[in-house]
Amino acid sequence: MDRIIPIQPAPAEPSATAITPSADGLGCGAGKDAMQQAALSAGKGEILAQYAADYPLKADAGPHDQPQSMCPAFGSLRVGLRMRRTATILSGSACCVYGLTFTSHFYGARRSVGYVPFNSESLVTGKLFEDIRDSVYDQADPAKYDAIVIINLCVPTASGVPLQLLPKEINGVRIIGIDVPGFGVPTHAEAKDVLAGAMLRYARTEAEAGPVAAPRQARSDKPSITLLGEMFPADPPGIAQMIAPMGLAVGTVVPTREWRELYAALDCAAVAAIHPFYTASVREFQAAGRPIVGSAPVGVEGTHDWLGAIGQATGVSQDKIDVARNATLAAMRGVLAQQKIQGRITLSGYEGSELLVGRLLVECGADLRYVGSACPATPWNAQDAAWLQSKGVHVQFRASLEQDIAAFHEWKPQLAIGTTPVVQAAKEACIPSLYFTNLISARPLMGVAGAGSLIQVINGAIGNQTRFDRMKEFFGGAGQGDEAGVWAEVPRQFPAFRADVKRMNEKAKKKRKAEEMGG
Ligand code: SF4
């Protein structure tokens, strides 16, 4: 196989050997600033500036004033692993790769994750880039793959490993190299957009250059709506039913499951940004001249407005919009009239669909006080935020765990919906709770099916309060704090030892501080 790579480094770009040695050994624990600084001096300034614009953090973010997310790269990895005929390769520290592969298999990847290991020497000398290039050449078999995705994790990004210098295509296999550092991409949700956006960009360039492959599945002859965001499998058919009276069809869901679906996604009448954080993907659709519609068909008011916005974006006549609205809204009003959620709820999550769930909860009768999302405010969730605020709900974008838990303590809900630590805090306080990712975002939300299914699960959870009370009564204060666990006998307290340790820790802390100030 020909191993000569057509690399033509432009003067401003870093070369494969101009890697910053100082980034070796940095990781989550090294601190965001140190990693960012290393990446900037290693020539990654442009991509970090793009991420800062696409995925903005609060200007005054303090150490705890930011979302706590799993390793963001998981979002990109997951998008790659879910695509047919796509190989995904990680370049990063072994511990990061271990965690990411573990999580991906926990979520049923059923696919190998490629890994190019490195050590101090290969990182510093630029050999890592050569190893990545070799592995990409080894993998680039057009009989097996349409695309190979290489993801630079924190250390290779901070070291400036120049994936942009890889060939764009080998033997007809597309090569997509992306940097997904935890110090540049705030959440795993937004990391999905990093890869989806990079793929759309590649596919758009291909489509602009000439004919491209048709999608495997036959397409409707009606104008189609591309749906942006991973959603429950029953939602796209539900949306299709809602928009059929307007003469529209549901097209592709992005992130796609196969490369050729990207062309179909771009070839749409409009894009529904159901998940509002796909900023880079939206940029590609806009470059392809497609209108974008925010929010989603959730609840009566949400569905009413969304159908109107989709109709307007695609030039559908008002009478057809009214027919579509009447068909769906009548059924939805019927469901909402029969059942109601009764109880106070706080809600938080990092999937990006929190505001949509919040709207649905309010329309189902819930006394919702707080919605926290790890994702940022964007034009595509502005309408949902305004709607929730008009109902007296506090909406917190880029919510930190501290803010989510403070909201829980302040509002003392009958049900807390949240991330694992929020759910744990609620359980400790003897309050029923539901994990957002597994129990709320993994069910239909749109249209009639969404309303019916959510009411059932929420009322079921709130109804569990008596079980919590019984458990609390049975266990009392056993097993709390440092007495938690299984003990052969009643744990003994050693207050003198505890006081000694505390004194020593404080002394060491003061000494460290004095040394820092002195140094
Ligand atoms: S790649 Fe992920 S796990 Fe590794 S240092 Fe970065 S954020 Fe942490």
Side-chain angles (χ1 to χ4, degrees), residues 174-515:
R174 300 152 186 94
I175 311 298
I176 316 272
I178 51 171
D179 297 300
V180 192
F183 55 86
V185 182
T187 62
H188 85 286
E190 288 153 301
K192 293 179 195 171
D193 177 49
V194 172
L195 182 52
M199 287 185 159
L200 281 166
R201 179 177 207 150
Y202 198 123
R204 182 170 63 79
T205 321
E206 288 180 312
E208 282 168 1
V212 288
R216 190 177 300 271
Q217 282 176 337
R219 298 175 67 199
S220 162
D221 52 3
K222 295 177 188 164
S224 67
I225 306 297
T226 290
L227 303 179
L228 199 43
E230 286 180 309
M231 60 199 82
F232 188 72
D235 275 337
I239 294 174
Q241 232 175 353
M242 281 185 246
I243 61 175
M246 296 196 284
L248 300 170
V250 158
T252 311
V253 177
V254 174
T256 62
R257 296 303 185 93
E258 192 170 6
W259 186 272
R260 49 170 75 180
E261 288 177 7
L262 290 162
Y263 310 127
L266 287 159
D267 183 22
C268 64
V271 177
I274 303 279
H275 286 183
F277 53 82
Y278 281 85
T279 309
S281 304
V282 162
R283 189 163 47 240
E284 296 310 316
F285 285 118
Q286 285 174 331
R290 308 299 172 219
I292 315 292
V293 174
S295 193
V298 286
V300 172
E301 289 185 41
T303 304
H304 177 276
D305 293 350
W306 186 82
L307 287 173
I310 288 286
Q312 277 163 17
T314 49
V316 171
S317 63
Q318 188 59 46
D319 56 326
K320 282 190 179 167
I321 295 176
D322 290 341
V323 172
R325 279 173 170 166
N326 291 342
T328 300
L329 299 183
M332 204 179 288
R333 284 194 186 98
V335 170
L336 294 179
Q338 278 169 14
Q339 325 165 46
K340 283 275 174 220
I341 293 174
Q342 272 161 0
R344 185 181 300 166
I345 296 176
T346 55
L347 164 70
S348 48
Y350 46 56
E351 301 295 334
S353 53
E354 293 75 27
L355 276 68
L356 300 178
V357 176
R359 284 191 74 150
L360 192 50
L361 286 171
V362 171
E363 286 217 20
C364 293
D367 175 16
L368 183 69
R369 297 299 176 96
Y370 171 86
V371 175
S373 175
C375 292
T378 72
W380 323 116
N381 57 23
Q383 202 185 335
D384 300 322
W387 188 91
L388 285 165
Q389 283 156 350
S390 76
K391 306 285 177 197
V393 180
H394 179 91
V395 177
Q396 182 65 56
F397 289 110
R398 288 289 188 225
S400 65
L401 173 60
E402 287 74 11
Q403 286 167 325
D404 293 344
I405 291 192
F408 165 74
H409 287 303
E410 170 149 3
W411 299 114
K412 301 185 176 36
Q414 270 100 51
L415 176 73
I417 303 172
T419 54
T420 313
V422 174
V423 164
Q424 187 182 332
K427 282 185 177 153
E428 271 181 28
C430 195
I431 303 289
S433 50
L434 290 172
Y435 182 33
F436 186 92
T437 299
N438 289 10
L439 295 169
I440 300 296
S441 97
R443 64 180 54 252
L445 290 176
M446 315 294 157
V448 183
S453 126
L454 194 67
I455 293 172
Q456 228 175 12
V457 72
I458 299 288
N459 281 342
I462 292 177
N464 271 340
Q465 183 64 57
T466 47
R467 288 173 64 196
F468 273 82
D469 293 339
R470 278 211 308 277
M471 279 194 285
K472 181 86 179 168
E473 200 183 347
F474 179 80
F475 287 107
Q480 286 194 342
D482 55 3
E483 291 178 9
V486 179
W487 299 83
E489 45 191 65
V490 176
R492 281 167 56 204
Q493 300 285 345
F494 295 95
F497 176 74
R498 187 183 289 238
D500 270 356
V501 172
K502 194 174 169 201
R503 235 189 341 268
M504 273 160 52
N505 281 342
E506 274 166 8
K507 213 168 142 190
K509 202 166 142 192
K510 273 189 196 149
K511 193 174 163 211
R512 261 201 318 274
K513 200 153 196 169
E515 280 169 2

Side-chain angles (χ1 to χ4, degrees), residues 120-187:
S120 305
E121 196 185 330
S122 67
L123 189 68
V124 169
T125 58
K127 174 82 168 49
L128 172 59
F129 177 74
E130 287 172 23
D131 290 346
I132 292 173
R133 193 180 55 188
D134 287 349
S135 81
V136 167
Y137 267 91
D138 284 346
Q139 294 284 310
D141 177 356
K144 286 194 199 152
Y145 299 122
D146 292 332
I148 296 179
V149 177
I150 309 102
I151 302 173
N152 254 353
L153 303 180
C154 281
V155 170
T157 304
S159 308
V161 173
L163 296 183
Q164 71 274 22
L165 299 186
L166 289 170
K168 296 284 168 263
E169 174 255 327
I170 301 170
N171 301 331
V173 178
R174 300 152 186 94
I175 311 298
I176 316 272
I178 51 171
D179 297 300
V180 192
F183 55 86
V185 182
T187 62

Side-chain angles (χ1 to χ4, degrees), residues 26-29 35 71-73 93 95-97 100 153-155 180-183:
L26 297 183
C28 300
M35 298 293 278
C71 171
S93 305
C95 50
C96 308
V97 173
L100 286 163
L153 303 180
C154 281
V155 170
V180 192
F183 55 86

